[in-house]
Amino acid sequence: MAIKGNLIIGQSGGPTAVINSSLAGAFEAAKAAGVKKIYGMHYGIEGFLNENIIDLKKELKDSADVSLLRRTPSAFLGSCRYKLPKIEGNEEVYEKIFSIMEKYDIQYFLYNGGNDSMDTVKMLSDYAEQHGKTQKFMGIPKTIDNDLPITDHCPGFGSAAKYIATTLKEVIADAECYGPYRTSALIVEIMGRHAGWLTAAAALGGNKPDLIYLPEVSFDPKDFVKRVKEITKKKSSVVIAVSEGIKLANGEFVSAQGADAKKDAFGHTQLSGVGDYLANMLTAEAGIKARAIEFSTMQRCATHVVSKTDSDEAYNAGYMAAQKALEGCTGEMVVIKVESRAPYVTSYSTFDIHEVANVERTVPLEWITNDGTYVSDEFIEYAQPLIEGEIDAYYSKGVPQHLTLSE
């Protein structure tokens, strides 16, 4: 394999508990291939545009650093929410990116992220092809939302699902401790804008919620109140898992009812508060004492309950992305194929980024059961292998140790 230049990797979008495992895999593949300089983008493509570049060989000096990196939450290199503009009319942005790559002799560009990040890979590879550039661009899948197409599942989802199943099991045990002497409802709000994969993971624990609501089907407030009231006739403690992105029949987000919706950097409506809204609804309309908890960013940063399967697959995805880029591949994303779920056997390949970017995969409707209030055994069979296995943290003074940038 003839190495023609240096390699750089960036992390983008919301972090996951295993995004740094992908970084570790890409770094070790590039190092093993003899790449002279292995760079990291400090704060993704946004940092790169400001030449905020890290020498990764100075940060990852030995195997102990790499091992600790895989146990470190958040994005080690820093992330961003910057979306590249379309090529037409914004050529100066792309010329700046390529001029920086040429300045640092960067021939291989890896980007680790979700839908919008894969769009970045697509546009950069398109621009390179249109203008006769030789640099190679590869995407590494990452999202706890599990909504990237083509790949069977996304690195990051398994660990978030493991956290949800684990925490819900504990929360349900806590909610049931008062027995028949106190009737109450607990709404657990889980991430998921249009895809309910994470909320569906609530069904993976030993203790399971009474109802599960995903954004793939319309939410009926009256039916919701009726169902909870019926459940309280049989048991005193009701636990309900809801996606933050559940919508009414008219397409409006439930969380936006009675409030002005805010937008994020990509123009997406910011979602939060659906749990509180539903808890207040139960109290007002059914007289049930109700409260809500929001898992929020804890779902994506809980490396203390990371899935070993997920971490290993994230590492392998990063490793393959670097290998393929060094072999000359460009404009593709690494995908995971499951050959068998029992026993669990996977393989890896790459796929045209144009079939991936800006395409969102949702939970199959046939996996949503009980009139839209639960998930099927097929989902459990799909997701169960992804949360298997544990990786022990390295502890010091009673808390896990993490790797931090020296610069």
Side-chain angles (χ1 to χ4, degrees):
M1 183 188 304
I3 306 302
K4 298 182 180 179
N6 301 321
L7 178 145
I8 193 165
I9 180 171
Q11 298 171 315
S12 180
T16 79
V18 299
I19 188 172
N20 293 327
S21 287
S22 290
L23 172 60
F27 174 80
E28 293 205 312
K31 185 178 179 181
V35 176
K36 184 178 180 181
K37 288 284 189 179
I38 306 171
Y39 294 115
M41 304 174 212
H42 201 187
Y43 305 116
I45 190 68
E46 189 171 22
F48 183 79
L49 281 164
N50 290 290
E51 292 190 52
N52 199 341
I53 295 172
I54 296 164
D55 185 341
L56 281 174
K57 288 186 177 179
K58 292 182 179 179
E59 301 294 332
L60 303 173
K61 297 179 286 295
D62 52 35
S63 59
D65 285 342
V66 174
S67 183
L68 187 56
L69 173 66
R70 294 188 63 179
R71 291 162 168 80
T72 296
S74 187
F76 178 72
L77 297 175
S79 188
C80 70
R81 291 288 188 180
Y82 179 80
K83 185 176 176 65
L84 279 178
K86 63 181 182 179
I87 296 174
E88 185 179 359
N90 298 284
E91 288 83 358
E92 72 282 357
V93 175
Y94 292 84
E95 280 303 311
K96 182 176 181 179
I97 290 172
F98 281 89
S99 68
I100 295 172
M101 292 181 71
E102 290 164 4
K103 176 179 178 179
Y104 289 87
D105 191 23
I106 295 169
Q107 186 67 21
Y108 313 101
F109 184 109
L110 311 181
Y111 213 42
N112 192 185
N115 297 87
D116 291 307
S117 302
M118 294 307 104
D119 192 47
T120 293
V121 175
K122 178 182 75 70
M123 290 192 289
L124 288 172
S125 61
D126 285 350
Y127 190 85
E129 182 179 5
Q130 293 166 12
H131 294 80
K133 306 288 186 179
T134 61
Q135 291 89 348
K136 310 303 178 186
F137 300 87
M138 289 293 297
I140 307 171
K142 171 246 47 164
T143 173
I144 64 171
D145 294 318
N146 199 40
D147 58 355
L148 283 172
I150 311 302
T151 185
D152 177 87
H153 55 276
C154 299
F157 169 67
S159 292
K162 188 182 186 80
Y163 171 84
I164 289 165
T166 300
T167 306
L168 259 172
K169 184 176 183 180
E170 296 167 341
V171 165
I172 292 170
D174 180 271
E176 292 176 343
C177 73
Y178 295 102
Y181 304 108
R182 179 185 176 190
T183 299
S184 65
L186 176 65
I187 315 293
V188 181
E189 181 178 332
I190 298 171
M191 284 182 174
R193 175 177 296 272
H194 301 301
W197 296 101
L198 283 174
T199 305
L204 295 173
N207 295 348
K208 299 182 179 182
D210 298 286
L211 298 168
I212 297 175
Y213 288 95
L214 311 186
E216 282 82 355
V217 295
S218 298
F219 179 79
D220 184 338
K222 291 183 178 179
D223 182 72
F224 167 72
V225 173
K226 179 182 177 181
R227 286 178 184 270
V228 175
K229 289 172 71 175
E230 287 298 316
I231 293 172
T232 60
K233 294 177 181 179
K234 303 174 183 178
K235 56 184 297 195
S236 58
S237 175
V238 184
V239 177
I240 304 140
V242 299
S243 290
E244 62 182 0
I246 56 172
K247 306 176 190 68
L248 301 174
N250 63 5
E252 293 181 1
F253 288 110
V254 174
S255 62
Q257 302 309 298
D260 293 329
K262 298 180 180 179
K263 305 286 185 179
D264 65 14
F266 293 125
H268 302 146
T269 300
Q270 291 183 331
L271 304 178
S272 183
V274 67
D276 285 331
Y277 179 83
L278 295 180
N280 292 335
M281 178 189 296
L282 287 176
T283 300
E285 299 186 18
I288 298 172
K289 181 179 176 60
R291 61 188 179 90
I293 57 174
E294 183 180 354
F295 282 178
S296 188
T297 55
M298 293 181 288
Q299 294 158 106
R300 70 188 194 196
C301 66
T303 52
H304 60 288
V305 287
V306 71
S307 158
K308 186 178 187 303
T309 296
D310 192 30
S311 180
D312 289 346
E313 290 181 344
Y315 179 93
N316 294 340
Y319 201 98
M320 173 171 270
Q323 278 188 325
K324 290 297 184 182
L326 294 170
E327 291 172 2
C329 293
T330 190
E332 297 182 346
M333 183 188 82
V334 174
V335 297
I336 302 171
K337 181 180 180 181
V338 176
E339 308 291 347
S340 169
R341 290 202 127 77
Y344 184 64
V345 180
T346 60
S347 62
Y348 300 81
S349 62
T350 60
F351 205 87
D352 185 353
I353 201 75
H354 296 81
E355 302 295 324
V356 176
N358 296 314
V359 179
E360 197 168 42
R361 183 184 64 162
T362 57
V363 177
L365 292 179
E366 60 267 26
W367 289 2
I368 304 173
T369 62
N370 199 32
D371 296 325
T373 64
Y374 224 81
V375 294
S376 68
D377 290 341
E378 285 80 6
F379 168 79
I380 294 174
E381 291 168 5
Y382 164 86
Q384 186 64 48
L386 312 183
I387 71 171
E388 298 287 345
E390 290 73 44
I391 295 180
D392 293 334
Y394 298 145
Y395 281 86
S396 176
K397 297 182 179 179
V399 296
Q401 292 301 289
H402 303 138
L403 192 68
T404 55
L405 283 172
S406 61
E407 298 182 3

